[in-house]
Amino acid sequence: MNDDVRNIALGVIAAGISAALGWVTRTYLWRRRLRRKQAFFGLPENSECLLVVNRDAGSADLAVHRHDVFALLELAALIKDCGAGAEVVTQDAARQGFGERTEFCVGGPGSNRRMAAHIQALLPGVRVNTDREPGPDRLAFQIGAEHYRMESGVTEFVLLARLTAGRRRGARPVFLFCGQRAINNQAATRYLVRRHERLARKYGDGSFVLLLKVVNSHAYGPDVVELVDDVTRQAQAPLPEATIVTGT
């Protein structure tokens, strides 16, 4: 074997080793990202989760608003990426506790009984005005001592929460998407899908409650979302009696 042939052979071997190492590295990084994603969402391989869908508050029929359908589709894609499966149930058919399976609950308490139960049990510092009569406080949020009114199509708010039942080892989280309008629910799911890695780095497997603002949804749909504040402490603390708004 002359020097030229030997150099070619060594070059081929080196290229093969580099390609193999690159593949192994990419596979390792992909699997590590997947494990972190599965841990954050409580969705290990082949697990099952619950998708709780609300009803369209503006319809007399038992219909689902199209923006809530879009939200469910975004969540379904995320669940599939984790290698998990989902059971879809309506808000009045969910008859189980939380912590056994990861749950994604979509819709405000006025159209989702399950959401109302979660807020009452897990977020004592939150009130949502579900009065159907027109007025400045219709659908307004109260979080601690602060109030957040909706200006439809211009400024709207949505709560995005990841909650666990106590500190029981292995308990699966509940994700809440509680918006003042259906398009806000979709905005919150999109925010979670796009930023889950950043949220996982910040909160790990702990609970959080974020207040998001959806800006000019009439023009931009669910795409322009701003983080108002992390309201975990206020939402999980008892609501001061002096600040409770009657009729909410």
Side-chain angles (χ1 to χ4, degrees):
M1 180 182 293
N2 59 37
D3 291 342
D4 291 338
V5 174
R6 184 167 52 251
N7 290 337
I8 292 173
L10 290 175
V12 170
I13 293 172
I17 292 174
S18 297
L21 289 175
W23 179 83
V24 169
T25 301
R26 288 192 299 271
T27 301
Y28 170 76
L29 293 174
W30 174 80
R31 290 188 180 278
R32 186 174 67 172
R33 289 182 63 186
L34 177 61
R35 287 194 296 270
R36 288 177 176 176
K37 185 175 183 179
Q38 291 171 330
F40 177 73
F41 288 107
L43 295 173
E45 191 82 19
N46 298 319
S47 62
E48 292 290 327
C49 67
L50 202 64
L51 280 172
V52 181
V53 59
N54 66 343
R55 60 178 176 82
D56 187 349
S59 172
D61 301 323
L62 298 178
V64 179
H65 196 283
R66 65 187 183 93
H67 285 295
D68 289 327
V69 174
F70 295 152
L72 294 175
L73 290 174
E74 299 212 26
L75 292 172
L78 182 150
I79 294 164
K80 183 179 179 181
D81 286 345
C82 290
E87 177 186 358
V88 181
V89 298
T90 57
Q91 49 88 26
D92 55 350
R95 296 285 191 274
Q96 65 181 56
F98 45 81
E100 297 301 322
R101 292 191 290 175
T102 294
E103 177 181 338
F104 300 90
C105 191
V106 177
S111 60
N112 189 327
R113 296 177 188 174
R114 182 82 170 174
M115 179 67 73
H118 285 326
I119 290 177
Q120 183 178 8
L122 303 174
L123 301 178
V126 174
R127 293 289 186 276
V128 181
N129 189 331
T130 57
D131 191 349
R132 294 183 179 273
E133 294 298 321
D137 287 320
R138 182 173 179 269
L139 301 177
F141 288 171
Q142 180 183 355
I143 305 172
E146 300 295 328
H147 293 78
Y148 301 90
R149 289 176 171 176
M150 173 186 73
E151 188 177 353
S152 183
V154 179
T155 302
E156 299 151 348
F157 296 95
V158 55
L159 285 173
L160 168 61
R162 181 192 192 275
L163 306 171
T164 54
R167 297 184 178 274
R168 180 167 63 85
R169 184 178 179 85
R172 301 288 174 79
V174 177
F175 289 88
L176 306 182
F177 309 88
C178 178
Q180 294 174 322
R181 296 176 61 225
I183 196 170
N184 309 147
N185 302 329
Q186 184 188 1
T189 59
R190 185 165 295 181
Y191 185 94
L192 178 67
V193 169
R194 291 176 175 176
R195 294 172 173 81
H196 67 84
E197 291 184 348
R198 189 182 309 171
L199 294 173
R201 285 195 296 270
K202 183 173 183 178
Y203 298 103
D205 60 355
S207 296
F208 62 80
V209 185
L210 305 180
L211 179 66
L212 307 176
K213 179 170 67 175
V214 183
V215 179
N216 201 352
S217 62
H218 279 172
Y220 303 127
D223 285 333
V224 182
V225 181
E226 298 176 358
L227 174 63
V228 177
D229 201 3
D230 180 332
V231 294
T232 307
R233 180 180 56 81
Q234 301 94 311
Q236 293 185 326
L239 195 67
E241 292 186 7
T243 67
I244 296 177
V245 178
T246 60
T248 60

PDB file of all heavy atoms in Angstrom, residues 24-54:
ATOM      1  N   VAL A  24     -24.015  10.257  17.177  1.00  0.00           N
ATOM      2  CA  VAL A  24     -24.192   9.899  18.585  1.00  0.00           C
ATOM      3  C   VAL A  24     -24.465  11.145  19.423  1.00  0.00           C
ATOM      4  O   VAL A  24     -25.341  11.163  20.296  1.00  0.00           O
ATOM      5  CB  VAL A  24     -22.949   9.150  19.109  1.00  0.00           C
ATOM      6  CG1 VAL A  24     -23.011   9.002  20.631  1.00  0.00           C
ATOM      7  CG2 VAL A  24     -22.839   7.782  18.462  1.00  0.00           C
ATOM      8  N   THR A  25     -23.715  12.222  19.146  1.00  0.00           N
ATOM      9  CA  THR A  25     -23.900  13.464  19.901  1.00  0.00           C
ATOM     10  C   THR A  25     -25.282  14.057  19.674  1.00  0.00           C
ATOM     11  O   THR A  25     -25.964  14.461  20.620  1.00  0.00           O
ATOM     12  CB  THR A  25     -22.822  14.488  19.507  1.00  0.00           C
ATOM     13  OG1 THR A  25     -21.524  13.941  19.770  1.00  0.00           O
ATOM     14  CG2 THR A  25     -22.991  15.780  20.293  1.00  0.00           C
ATOM     15  N   ARG A  26     -25.710  14.107  18.403  1.00  0.00           N
ATOM     16  CA  ARG A  26     -27.031  14.655  18.099  1.00  0.00           C
ATOM     17  C   ARG A  26     -28.132  13.820  18.731  1.00  0.00           C
ATOM     18  O   ARG A  26     -29.108  14.357  19.260  1.00  0.00           O
ATOM     19  CB  ARG A  26     -27.232  14.749  16.587  1.00  0.00           C
ATOM     20  CG  ARG A  26     -26.420  15.846  15.917  1.00  0.00           C
ATOM     21  CD  ARG A  26     -26.888  16.088  14.484  1.00  0.00           C
ATOM     22  NE  ARG A  26     -26.727  14.884  13.665  1.00  0.00           N
ATOM     23  CZ  ARG A  26     -25.633  14.591  12.984  1.00  0.00           C
ATOM     24  NH1 ARG A  26     -24.592  15.415  13.028  1.00  0.00           N
ATOM     25  NH2 ARG A  26     -25.558  13.487  12.258  1.00  0.00           N
ATOM     26  N   THR A  27     -27.959  12.499  18.686  1.00  0.00           N
ATOM     27  CA  THR A  27     -28.957  11.614  19.288  1.00  0.00           C
ATOM     28  C   THR A  27     -29.020  11.805  20.794  1.00  0.00           C
ATOM     29  O   THR A  27     -30.106  11.864  21.384  1.00  0.00           O
ATOM     30  CB  THR A  27     -28.644  10.143  18.971  1.00  0.00           C
ATOM     31  OG1 THR A  27     -28.623   9.954  17.553  1.00  0.00           O
ATOM     32  CG2 THR A  27     -29.678   9.209  19.591  1.00  0.00           C
ATOM     33  N   TYR A  28     -27.852  11.936  21.419  1.00  0.00           N
ATOM     34  CA  TYR A  28     -27.810  12.154  22.873  1.00  0.00           C
ATOM     35  C   TYR A  28     -28.492  13.461  23.256  1.00  0.00           C
ATOM     36  O   TYR A  28     -29.301  13.508  24.203  1.00  0.00           O
ATOM     37  CB  TYR A  28     -26.359  12.157  23.349  1.00  0.00           C
ATOM     38  CG  TYR A  28     -26.192  12.613  24.775  1.00  0.00           C
ATOM     39  CD1 TYR A  28     -26.510  11.786  25.839  1.00  0.00           C
ATOM     40  CD2 TYR A  28     -25.733  13.906  25.057  1.00  0.00           C
ATOM     41  CE1 TYR A  28     -26.373  12.214  27.152  1.00  0.00           C
ATOM     42  CE2 TYR A  28     -25.586  14.346  26.355  1.00  0.00           C
ATOM     43  CZ  TYR A  28     -25.901  13.493  27.397  1.00  0.00           C
ATOM     44  OH  TYR A  28     -25.775  13.928  28.691  1.00  0.00           O
ATOM     45  N   LEU A  29     -28.178  14.537  22.523  1.00  0.00           N
ATOM     46  CA  LEU A  29     -28.778  15.832  22.830  1.00  0.00           C
ATOM     47  C   LEU A  29     -30.280  15.811  22.588  1.00  0.00           C
ATOM     48  O   LEU A  29     -31.054  16.385  23.374  1.00  0.00           O
ATOM     49  CB  LEU A  29     -28.119  16.926  21.982  1.00  0.00           C
ATOM     50  CG  LEU A  29     -26.644  17.210  22.289  1.00  0.00           C
ATOM     51  CD1 LEU A  29     -26.081  18.211  21.284  1.00  0.00           C
ATOM     52  CD2 LEU A  29     -26.486  17.726  23.712  1.00  0.00           C
ATOM     53  N   TRP A  30     -30.701  15.140  21.511  1.00  0.00           N
ATOM     54  CA  TRP A  30     -32.138  15.051  21.232  1.00  0.00           C
ATOM     55  C   TRP A  30     -32.856  14.285  22.320  1.00  0.00           C
ATOM     56  O   TRP A  30     -33.930  14.701  22.783  1.00  0.00           O
ATOM     57  CB  TRP A  30     -32.345  14.367  19.884  1.00  0.00           C
ATOM     58  CG  TRP A  30     -33.796  14.108  19.575  1.00  0.00           C
ATOM     59  CD1 TRP A  30     -34.709  14.996  19.091  1.00  0.00           C
ATOM     60  CD2 TRP A  30     -34.499  12.868  19.756  1.00  0.00           C
ATOM     61  NE1 TRP A  30     -35.941  14.397  18.955  1.00  0.00           N
ATOM     62  CE2 TRP A  30     -35.842  13.096  19.351  1.00  0.00           C
ATOM     63  CE3 TRP A  30     -34.126  11.601  20.203  1.00  0.00           C
ATOM     64  CZ2 TRP A  30     -36.811  12.087  19.397  1.00  0.00           C
ATOM     65  CZ3 TRP A  30     -35.088  10.598  20.262  1.00  0.00           C
ATOM     66  CH2 TRP A  30     -36.411  10.842  19.860  1.00  0.00           C
ATOM     67  N   ARG A  31     -32.273  13.176  22.773  1.00  0.00           N
ATOM     68  CA  ARG A  31     -32.901  12.381  23.825  1.00  0.00           C
ATOM     69  C   ARG A  31     -32.928  13.131  25.151  1.00  0.00           C
ATOM     70  O   ARG A  31     -33.888  13.034  25.914  1.00  0.00           O
ATOM     71  CB  ARG A  31     -32.171  11.051  23.992  1.00  0.00           C
ATOM     72  CG  ARG A  31     -32.381  10.089  22.825  1.00  0.00           C
ATOM     73  CD  ARG A  31     -31.806   8.715  23.127  1.00  0.00           C
ATOM     74  NE  ARG A  31     -32.013   7.800  22.019  1.00  0.00           N
ATOM     75  CZ  ARG A  31     -33.142   7.129  21.806  1.00  0.00           C
ATOM     76  NH1 ARG A  31     -34.154   7.288  22.643  1.00  0.00           N
ATOM     77  NH2 ARG A  31     -33.252   6.315  20.782  1.00  0.00           N
ATOM     78  N   ARG A  32     -31.874  13.903  25.420  1.00  0.00           N
ATOM     79  CA  ARG A  32     -31.856  14.672  26.665  1.00  0.00           C
ATOM     80  C   ARG A  32     -32.930  15.748  26.639  1.00  0.00           C
ATOM     81  O   ARG A  32     -33.640  15.949  27.645  1.00  0.00           O
ATOM     82  CB  ARG A  32     -30.474  15.302  26.869  1.00  0.00           C
ATOM     83  CG  ARG A  32     -30.337  15.994  28.228  1.00  0.00           C
ATOM     84  CD  ARG A  32     -28.935  16.480  28.468  1.00  0.00           C
ATOM     85  NE  ARG A  32     -28.569  17.564  27.566  1.00  0.00           N
ATOM     86  CZ  ARG A  32     -27.438  18.260  27.678  1.00  0.00           C
ATOM     87  NH1 ARG A  32     -26.559  17.957  28.627  1.00  0.00           N
ATOM     88  NH2 ARG A  32     -27.176  19.227  26.824  1.00  0.00           N
ATOM     89  N   ARG A  33     -33.077  16.431  25.513  1.00  0.00           N
ATOM     90  CA  ARG A  33     -34.134  17.434  25.395  1.00  0.00           C
ATOM     91  C   ARG A  33     -35.507  16.791  25.532  1.00  0.00           C
ATOM     92  O   ARG A  33     -36.410  17.349  26.169  1.00  0.00           O
ATOM     93  CB  ARG A  33     -34.034  18.158  24.064  1.00  0.00           C
ATOM     94  CG  ARG A  33     -32.846  19.109  23.946  1.00  0.00           C
ATOM     95  CD  ARG A  33     -32.836  19.823  22.615  1.00  0.00           C
ATOM     96  NE  ARG A  33     -34.005  20.669  22.448  1.00  0.00           N
ATOM     97  CZ  ARG A  33     -34.302  21.315  21.328  1.00  0.00           C
ATOM     98  NH1 ARG A  33     -33.506  21.198  20.269  1.00  0.00           N
ATOM     99  NH2 ARG A  33     -35.373  22.071  21.256  1.00  0.00           N
ATOM    100  N   LEU A  34     -35.680  15.607  24.935  1.00  0.00           N
ATOM    101  CA  LEU A  34     -36.960  14.913  25.024  1.00  0.00           C
ATOM    102  C   LEU A  34     -37.266  14.518  26.468  1.00  0.00           C
ATOM    103  O   LEU A  34     -38.401  14.693  26.933  1.00  0.00           O
ATOM    104  CB  LEU A  34     -36.949  13.681  24.123  1.00  0.00           C
ATOM    105  CG  LEU A  34     -38.207  12.806  24.167  1.00  0.00           C
ATOM    106  CD1 LEU A  34     -39.425  13.611  23.727  1.00  0.00           C
ATOM    107  CD2 LEU A  34     -38.028  11.560  23.315  1.00  0.00           C
ATOM    108  N   ARG A  35     -36.266  14.007  27.193  1.00  0.00           N
ATOM    109  CA  ARG A  35     -36.495  13.623  28.589  1.00  0.00           C
ATOM    110  C   ARG A  35     -36.872  14.830  29.435  1.00  0.00           C
ATOM    111  O   ARG A  35     -37.740  14.738  30.316  1.00  0.00           O
ATOM    112  CB  ARG A  35     -35.241  12.944  29.150  1.00  0.00           C
ATOM    113  CG  ARG A  35     -35.016  11.530  28.620  1.00  0.00           C
ATOM    114  CD  ARG A  35     -33.979  10.804  29.468  1.00  0.00           C
ATOM    115  NE  ARG A  35     -32.674  11.437  29.383  1.00  0.00           N
ATOM    116  CZ  ARG A  35     -31.752  11.125  28.487  1.00  0.00           C
ATOM    117  NH1 ARG A  35     -31.995  10.184  27.591  1.00  0.00           N
ATOM    118  NH2 ARG A  35     -30.576  11.737  28.486  1.00  0.00           N
ATOM    119  N   ARG A  36     -36.212  15.959  29.182  1.00  0.00           N
ATOM    120  CA  ARG A  36     -36.549  17.167  29.938  1.00  0.00           C
ATOM    121  C   ARG A  36     -37.976  17.623  29.615  1.00  0.00           C
ATOM    122  O   ARG A  36     -38.714  18.048  30.506  1.00  0.00           O
ATOM    123  CB  ARG A  36     -35.550  18.274  29.606  1.00  0.00           C
ATOM    124  CG  ARG A  36     -34.167  18.053  30.185  1.00  0.00           C
ATOM    125  CD  ARG A  36     -33.217  19.159  29.754  1.00  0.00           C
ATOM    126  NE  ARG A  36     -31.904  19.025  30.378  1.00  0.00           N
ATOM    127  CZ  ARG A  36     -30.868  19.805  30.114  1.00  0.00           C
ATOM    128  NH1 ARG A  36     -30.999  20.792  29.211  1.00  0.00           N
ATOM    129  NH2 ARG A  36     -29.708  19.632  30.720  1.00  0.00           N
ATOM    130  N   LYS A  37     -38.339  17.538  28.358  1.00  0.00           N
ATOM    131  CA  LYS A  37     -39.693  17.910  27.945  1.00  0.00           C
ATOM    132  C   LYS A  37     -40.724  16.988  28.575  1.00  0.00           C
ATOM    133  O   LYS A  37     -41.752  17.438  29.093  1.00  0.00           O
ATOM    134  CB  LYS A  37     -39.783  17.849  26.414  1.00  0.00           C
ATOM    135  CG  LYS A  37     -41.090  18.332  25.818  1.00  0.00           C
ATOM    136  CD  LYS A  37     -40.989  18.317  24.289  1.00  0.00           C
ATOM    137  CE  LYS A  37     -42.247  18.862  23.631  1.00  0.00           C
ATOM    138  NZ  LYS A  37     -42.121  18.867  22.156  1.00  0.00           N
ATOM    139  N   GLN A  38     -40.450  15.690  28.560  1.00  0.00           N
ATOM    140  CA  GLN A  38     -41.363  14.729  29.161  1.00  0.00           C
ATOM    141  C   GLN A  38     -41.501  14.961  30.661  1.00  0.00           C
ATOM    142  O   GLN A  38     -42.600  14.857  31.216  1.00  0.00           O
ATOM    143  CB  GLN A  38     -40.878  13.307  28.883  1.00  0.00           C
ATOM    144  CG  GLN A  38     -40.987  12.884  27.422  1.00  0.00           C
ATOM    145  CD  GLN A  38     -40.301  11.562  27.148  1.00  0.00           C
ATOM    146  OE1 GLN A  38     -39.326  11.201  27.808  1.00  0.00           O
ATOM    147  NE2 GLN A  38     -40.815  10.813  26.181  1.00  0.00           N
ATOM    148  N   ALA A  39     -40.386  15.285  31.327  1.00  0.00           N
ATOM    149  CA  ALA A  39     -40.426  15.527  32.765  1.00  0.00           C
ATOM    150  C   ALA A  39     -41.227  16.783  33.092  1.00  0.00           C
ATOM    151  O   ALA A  39     -42.018  16.804  34.048  1.00  0.00           O
ATOM    152  CB  ALA A  39     -39.006  15.644  33.311  1.00  0.00           C
ATOM    153  N   PHE A  40     -41.036  17.839  32.315  1.00  0.00           N
ATOM    154  CA  PHE A  40     -41.743  19.098  32.567  1.00  0.00           C
ATOM    155  C   PHE A  40     -43.252  18.916  32.417  1.00  0.00           C
ATOM    156  O   PHE A  40     -44.040  19.416  33.230  1.00  0.00           O
ATOM    157  CB  PHE A  40     -41.240  20.171  31.613  1.00  0.00           C
ATOM    158  CG  PHE A  40     -41.946  21.493  31.742  1.00  0.00           C
ATOM    159  CD1 PHE A  40     -41.726  22.318  32.828  1.00  0.00           C
ATOM    160  CD2 PHE A  40     -42.838  21.915  30.758  1.00  0.00           C
ATOM    161  CE1 PHE A  40     -42.379  23.537  32.944  1.00  0.00           C
ATOM    162  CE2 PHE A  40     -43.492  23.126  30.870  1.00  0.00           C
ATOM    163  CZ  PHE A  40     -43.265  23.938  31.968  1.00  0.00           C
ATOM    164  N   PHE A  41     -43.661  18.194  31.383  1.00  0.00           N
ATOM    165  CA  PHE A  41     -45.089  18.007  31.135  1.00  0.00           C
ATOM    166  C   PHE A  41     -45.663  16.782  31.853  1.00  0.00           C
ATOM    167  O   PHE A  41     -46.876  16.560  31.797  1.00  0.00           O
ATOM    168  CB  PHE A  41     -45.360  17.888  29.635  1.00  0.00           C
ATOM    169  CG  PHE A  41     -45.204  19.180  28.889  1.00  0.00           C
ATOM    170  CD1 PHE A  41     -44.119  19.406  28.060  1.00  0.00           C
ATOM    171  CD2 PHE A  41     -46.133  20.193  29.034  1.00  0.00           C
ATOM    172  CE1 PHE A  41     -43.970  20.606  27.385  1.00  0.00           C
ATOM    173  CE2 PHE A  41     -45.995  21.398  28.373  1.00  0.00           C
ATOM    174  CZ  PHE A  41     -44.903  21.610  27.548  1.00  0.00           C
ATOM    175  N   GLY A  42     -44.832  16.013  32.528  1.00  0.00           N
ATOM    176  CA  GLY A  42     -45.328  14.815  33.190  1.00  0.00           C
ATOM    177  C   GLY A  42     -45.835  13.793  32.200  1.00  0.00           C
ATOM    178  O   GLY A  42     -46.843  13.121  32.455  1.00  0.00           O
ATOM    179  N   LEU A  43     -45.138  13.658  31.074  1.00  0.00           N
ATOM    180  CA  LEU A  43     -45.586  12.783  29.985  1.00  0.00           C
ATOM    181  C   LEU A  43     -44.480  11.824  29.569  1.00  0.00           C
ATOM    182  O   LEU A  43     -43.870  11.968  28.503  1.00  0.00           O
ATOM    183  CB  LEU A  43     -46.028  13.625  28.779  1.00  0.00           C
ATOM    184  CG  LEU A  43     -47.245  14.507  28.952  1.00  0.00           C
ATOM    185  CD1 LEU A  43     -47.437  15.400  27.725  1.00  0.00           C
ATOM    186  CD2 LEU A  43     -48.490  13.665  29.200  1.00  0.00           C
ATOM    187  N   PRO A  44     -44.192  10.822  30.393  1.00  0.00           N
ATOM    188  CA  PRO A  44     -43.206   9.822  29.959  1.00  0.00           C
ATOM    189  C   PRO A  44     -43.745   9.009  28.779  1.00  0.00           C
ATOM    190  O   PRO A  44     -44.931   9.049  28.462  1.00  0.00           O
ATOM    191  CB  PRO A  44     -43.023   8.947  31.206  1.00  0.00           C
ATOM    192  CG  PRO A  44     -44.258   9.162  32.010  1.00  0.00           C
ATOM    193  CD  PRO A  44     -44.702  10.561  31.742  1.00  0.00           C
ATOM    194  N   GLU A  45     -42.853   8.279  28.149  1.00  0.00           N
ATOM    195  CA  GLU A  45     -43.203   7.478  26.968  1.00  0.00           C
ATOM    196  C   GLU A  45     -44.384   6.562  27.272  1.00  0.00           C
ATOM    197  O   GLU A  45     -44.428   5.894  28.304  1.00  0.00           O
ATOM    198  CB  GLU A  45     -41.997   6.646  26.539  1.00  0.00           C
ATOM    199  CG  GLU A  45     -42.148   5.988  25.193  1.00  0.00           C
ATOM    200  CD  GLU A  45     -41.821   6.922  24.037  1.00  0.00           C
ATOM    201  OE1 GLU A  45     -41.154   7.938  24.274  1.00  0.00           O
ATOM    202  OE2 GLU A  45     -42.225   6.628  22.907  1.00  0.00           O
ATOM    203  N   ASN A  46     -45.371   6.568  26.363  1.00  0.00           N
ATOM    204  CA  ASN A  46     -46.544   5.688  26.421  1.00  0.00           C
ATOM    205  C   ASN A  46     -47.489   5.994  27.584  1.00  0.00           C
ATOM    206  O   ASN A  46     -48.349   5.174  27.912  1.00  0.00           O
ATOM    207  CB  ASN A  46     -46.128   4.217  26.489  1.00  0.00           C
ATOM    208  CG  ASN A  46     -45.359   3.778  25.257  1.00  0.00           C
ATOM    209  OD1 ASN A  46     -45.693   4.141  24.136  1.00  0.00           O
ATOM    210  ND2 ASN A  46     -44.296   3.007  25.472  1.00  0.00           N
ATOM    211  N   SER A  47     -47.333   7.149  28.222  1.00  0.00           N
ATOM    212  CA  SER A  47     -48.262   7.542  29.276  1.00  0.00           C
ATOM    213  C   SER A  47     -49.535   8.131  28.669  1.00  0.00           C
ATOM    214  O   SER A  47     -49.613   8.370  27.462  1.00  0.00           O
ATOM    215  CB  SER A  47     -47.602   8.559  30.216  1.00  0.00           C
ATOM    216  OG  SER A  47     -47.260   9.742  29.500  1.00  0.00           O
ATOM    217  N   GLU A  48     -50.520   8.352  29.505  1.00  0.00           N
ATOM    218  CA  GLU A  48     -51.788   8.935  29.073  1.00  0.00           C
ATOM    219  C   GLU A  48     -52.045  10.226  29.834  1.00  0.00           C
ATOM    220  O   GLU A  48     -51.692  10.345  31.013  1.00  0.00           O
ATOM    221  CB  GLU A  48     -52.948   7.955  29.311  1.00  0.00           C
ATOM    222  CG  GLU A  48     -52.915   6.714  28.439  1.00  0.00           C
ATOM    223  CD  GLU A  48     -53.219   7.035  26.977  1.00  0.00           C
ATOM    224  OE1 GLU A  48     -54.008   7.964  26.724  1.00  0.00           O
ATOM    225  OE2 GLU A  48     -52.658   6.353  26.109  1.00  0.00           O
ATOM    226  N   CYS A  49     -52.655  11.189  29.169  1.00  0.00           N
ATOM    227  CA  CYS A  49     -53.016  12.445  29.822  1.00  0.00           C
ATOM    228  C   CYS A  49     -54.465  12.789  29.503  1.00  0.00           C
ATOM    229  O   CYS A  49     -55.126  12.092  28.722  1.00  0.00           O
ATOM    230  CB  CYS A  49     -52.084  13.577  29.393  1.00  0.00           C
ATOM    231  SG  CYS A  49     -52.240  14.050  27.657  1.00  0.00           S
ATOM    232  N   LEU A  50     -54.933  13.849  30.117  1.00  0.00           N
ATOM    233  CA  LEU A  50     -56.325  14.261  29.985  1.00  0.00           C
ATOM    234  C   LEU A  50     -56.391  15.647  29.360  1.00  0.00           C
ATOM    235  O   LEU A  50     -55.719  16.568  29.814  1.00  0.00           O
ATOM    236  CB  LEU A  50     -56.974  14.286  31.374  1.00  0.00           C
ATOM    237  CG  LEU A  50     -58.498  14.189  31.467  1.00  0.00           C
ATOM    238  CD1 LEU A  50     -58.987  12.850  30.930  1.00  0.00           C
ATOM    239  CD2 LEU A  50     -58.932  14.357  32.921  1.00  0.00           C
ATOM    240  N   LEU A  51     -57.194  15.780  28.315  1.00  0.00           N
ATOM    241  CA  LEU A  51     -57.478  17.076  27.710  1.00  0.00           C
ATOM    242  C   LEU A  51     -58.929  17.430  28.046  1.00  0.00           C
ATOM    243  O   LEU A  51     -59.848  16.775  27.569  1.00  0.00           O
ATOM    244  CB  LEU A  51     -57.300  17.017  26.192  1.00  0.00           C
ATOM    245  CG  LEU A  51     -55.885  17.109  25.622  1.00  0.00           C
ATOM    246  CD1 LEU A  51     -55.901  16.842  24.128  1.00  0.00           C
ATOM    247  CD2 LEU A  51     -55.278  18.465  25.890  1.00  0.00           C
ATOM    248  N   VAL A  52     -59.106  18.454  28.874  1.00  0.00           N
ATOM    249  CA  VAL A  52     -60.445  18.856  29.291  1.00  0.00           C
ATOM    250  C   VAL A  52     -60.858  20.077  28.483  1.00  0.00           C
ATOM    251  O   VAL A  52     -60.240  21.135  28.570  1.00  0.00           O
ATOM    252  CB  VAL A  52     -60.501  19.170  30.798  1.00  0.00           C
ATOM    253  CG1 VAL A  52     -61.924  19.558  31.198  1.00  0.00           C
ATOM    254  CG2 VAL A  52     -60.025  17.974  31.612  1.00  0.00           C
ATOM    255  N   VAL A  53     -61.911  19.916  27.690  1.00  0.00           N
ATOM    256  CA  VAL A  53     -62.347  20.968  26.783  1.00  0.00           C
ATOM    257  C   VAL A  53     -63.603  21.628  27.336  1.00  0.00           C
ATOM    258  O   VAL A  53     -64.470  20.965  27.907  1.00  0.00           O
ATOM    259  CB  VAL A  53     -62.591  20.410  25.366  1.00  0.00           C
ATOM    260  CG1 VAL A  53     -63.638  19.307  25.375  1.00  0.00           C
ATOM    261  CG2 VAL A  53     -62.985  21.509  24.400  1.00  0.00           C
ATOM    262  N   ASN A  54     -63.689  22.934  27.177  1.00  0.00           N
ATOM    263  CA  ASN A  54     -64.863  23.661  27.648  1.00  0.00           C
ATOM    264  C   ASN A  54     -65.918  23.719  26.546  1.00  0.00           C
ATOM    265  O   ASN A  54     -65.770  23.140  25.474  1.00  0.00           O
ATOM    266  CB  ASN A  54     -64.473  25.069  28.103  1.00  0.00           C
ATOM    267  CG  ASN A  54     -63.974  25.922  26.949  1.00  0.00           C
ATOM    268  OD1 ASN A  54     -63.631  25.426  25.895  1.00  0.00           O
ATOM    269  ND2 ASN A  54     -63.936  27.225  27.154  1.00  0.00           N
TER     270      ASN A  54
END
